[in-house]
Structure formats: structure tokens, C-alpha cells
Amino acid sequence: MDYINIRGVSFDNVNMDEAISRCYELMSTDGAKIIHTPNAEIVQMCVEDKEKCKLINAADLIIPDGAGVILAGKVLGNPVKKGKVAGIELCEGLCRTSGQKGFSIFFLGGKPGVAEKASQKLLEKYPDMRIAGTNDGYFKEDEPIIKMINDSGADILFVCLGVPRQEIWMNANRNRLNVKIMGGFGGSFDVFAGEVNRAPAFFIKCNLEWFYRLIKEPRRIGRMMKLPKFILGAIKDKIIRKKYEDMR
């Protein structure tokens, strides 16, 4: 497996088809495997919080989700050769292919009713998909949720609880869950359910999805400021590394 380190996070250097194939490879092994989909904001969180960095790096598959991660790789001279692998697209890719392989999916997260609506919309699109169950993200105790998921017989678990709650929750409960693989996919259910519109193809193709979201939700400006901070940090890392190399 080809890996690439960007500011302390070890990404799998895969394209979308390879990421989906890797998911099914992991499902053939023992234990519940974890997928993380860090963007620049999440990697910056890892830079600032070493415990969060350990948490992210403990996953079994880490994909580069976001233009900022791709740009940082180029700045550091350590490019992600196969480009961005959007978490929402990986999530949908598993919906598209899992039914053919006989695997069922549990949808966990979002506001009340959103996970169910998202699963039904996806089922209309991919009739072979098998839905094991759904539950919103507004639960206070883990035990009833874990029992519900295990009783459902789900093979795949989509966890949309927001960062870093979803990553912490998956890591804390992986040994109590009987699923084969689980991934944190942020706000994907809202998009699948039609509650939120994803950026038009032009913005996605030009790596400007973040800009579209900022236009639609100006209140995100505080979070978006992590992107320039992240890129400036990558430039600083490159300068420090070059000085170190020149001194050797």
C-alpha cells in the first residue's frame, strides 16, 4: 500500500476505485475497520492536537478529502498523486456497489429523520442496496445504539456525527461493534436527503467546493480560516525542512 504523509497525517495514496476496493479488502479481515476522510480543517486540528492526530492515524483507511490537502502535498513536495477522494463520493460508491456484494448498511447520524430519508433516496438510486437500519445522531447513551446496530446485522456503518465526535465514537466503540467497516462522513446524509445542496460540478472540478459552501453559509468563515492557516503552515514546514537539509 502506498502512503503519503501530509503534516503528520498518513494518507492512503489511492484514487476512488482503489479506495472502494480497499474497503472491501478490509472487510475480509477480522474486526471492525475504520475509514477517516480528513480535509484541511481536520489535518489542521491534528497539527494543533497530537492526541487527535493519533486518533486519525489509527484508522485503517485514510483518504485525502479536500483541495487544501492536495495543495499542501504539492507545497511540501510530497504530492497526492491520484488527487482528491471526496468522502461523500466514497460513501455513495459503497452504496452503489455493496448490494451487488451482499453487504448491508446502517446509517447513523444527522437530525431526526435525515438518516432515514437519505437511505431511502439512495435506495431509489441504487435498488440493490441493502439497508440494515437508521438512527439519528441525537443519542445520549452508546449501549442502546450499539445493540441496535449489532442486532441489525449490518456489515457497513456510516457515521455522520460531525468532526471530531464521529472519529472519537468509532474509535471508542470499534471493539463492541460487529460491523466489518465503518466510516465518518460528516454532513453527507444532509446532502443525500436533499436537505443541503452540494456544490455544482464546476466548483467541485475546480477545487472550489469550500468557496461555494462559504458563499452559501457565511457563518462558516471562522472554520474556513483554518485553510489559509493550514497552507501557511505547510509552507513554513517546507522552509524549515529545507534549512535543515542545507545544514546537513
Side-chain angles (χ1 to χ4, degrees):
M1 184 61 64
D2 185 15
Y3 299 100
I4 184 167
N5 187 291
I6 297 178
R7 305 209 67 200
V9 175
S10 183
F11 289 91
D12 292 78
N13 203 3
V14 293
N15 60 26
M16 181 58 69
D17 289 340
E18 290 169 340
I20 293 174
S21 294
R22 179 62 178 151
C23 287
Y24 290 122
E25 289 173 7
L26 290 170
M27 289 174 69
S28 67
T29 62
D30 294 333
K33 300 302 188 289
I34 294 177
I35 308 165
H36 289 326
T37 63
N39 57 17
E41 180 183 345
I42 296 172
V43 179
Q44 182 61 31
M45 175 188 74
C46 292
V47 171
E48 297 171 0
D49 186 332
K50 298 306 179 186
E51 290 304 312
K52 293 292 193 310
C53 190
K54 291 179 183 177
L55 176 68
I56 295 297
N57 280 328
D60 302 282
L61 177 64
I62 305 174
I63 63 170
D65 183 354
V69 174
I70 306 305
L71 178 57
K74 292 178 180 178
V75 168
L76 292 166
N78 203 15
V80 179
K81 301 173 184 176
K82 296 169 181 177
K84 181 179 75 172
V85 180
I88 189 171
E89 293 174 10
L90 175 59
C91 186
E92 185 166 357
L94 290 171
C95 291
R96 185 182 68 250
T97 58
S98 61
Q100 301 163 10
K101 296 178 179 292
F103 295 125
S104 61
I105 306 172
F106 194 103
F107 291 68
L108 176 65
K111 295 178 181 178
V114 170
E116 183 177 2
K117 187 176 179 181
S119 68
Q120 292 304 316
K121 290 276 189 182
L122 286 162
L123 184 60
E124 292 173 8
K125 196 171 182 180
Y126 307 112
D128 290 338
M129 188 177 74
R130 300 183 181 184
I131 302 170
T134 67
N135 199 86
D136 64 63
Y138 288 73
F139 56 90
K140 294 182 179 179
E141 296 182 6
D142 291 341
E143 290 303 328
I145 296 298
I146 291 170
K147 184 177 187 306
M148 183 188 300
I149 294 167
N150 287 341
D151 288 349
S152 76
D155 302 294
I156 302 170
L157 173 62
F158 294 158
V159 185
C160 291
L161 302 177
V163 177
R165 184 188 171 199
Q166 61 193 23
E167 287 78 15
I168 293 171
W169 191 89
M170 289 189 292
N171 188 66
N173 296 301
R174 68 185 304 171
N175 293 328
R176 295 193 289 168
L177 288 160
N178 296 334
V179 298
K180 299 178 185 299
I181 195 166
M182 53 184 158
F185 296 107
S188 297
F189 291 172
D190 289 327
V191 177
F192 294 142
E195 301 292 315
V196 173
N197 292 324
R198 195 180 178 198
F202 168 80
F203 286 87
I204 296 173
K205 183 177 180 180
C206 295
N207 288 324
L208 291 172
E209 193 167 2
W210 62 272
F211 183 61
Y212 176 83
R213 294 182 70 184
L214 181 59
I215 294 172
K216 299 294 286 187
E217 301 177 70
R219 61 184 175 79
R220 295 176 63 90
I221 184 65
R223 291 177 59 181
M224 291 298 181
M225 289 307 295
K226 287 186 177 291
L227 178 57
K229 184 178 181 180
F230 173 70
I231 298 301
L232 288 172
I235 294 171
K236 180 181 177 181
D237 287 351
K238 181 179 181 179
I239 292 171
I240 291 173
R241 187 174 67 186
K242 188 176 187 308
K243 284 184 177 179
Y244 175 77
E245 290 173 351
D246 290 343
M247 291 171 59
R248 294 178 64 182

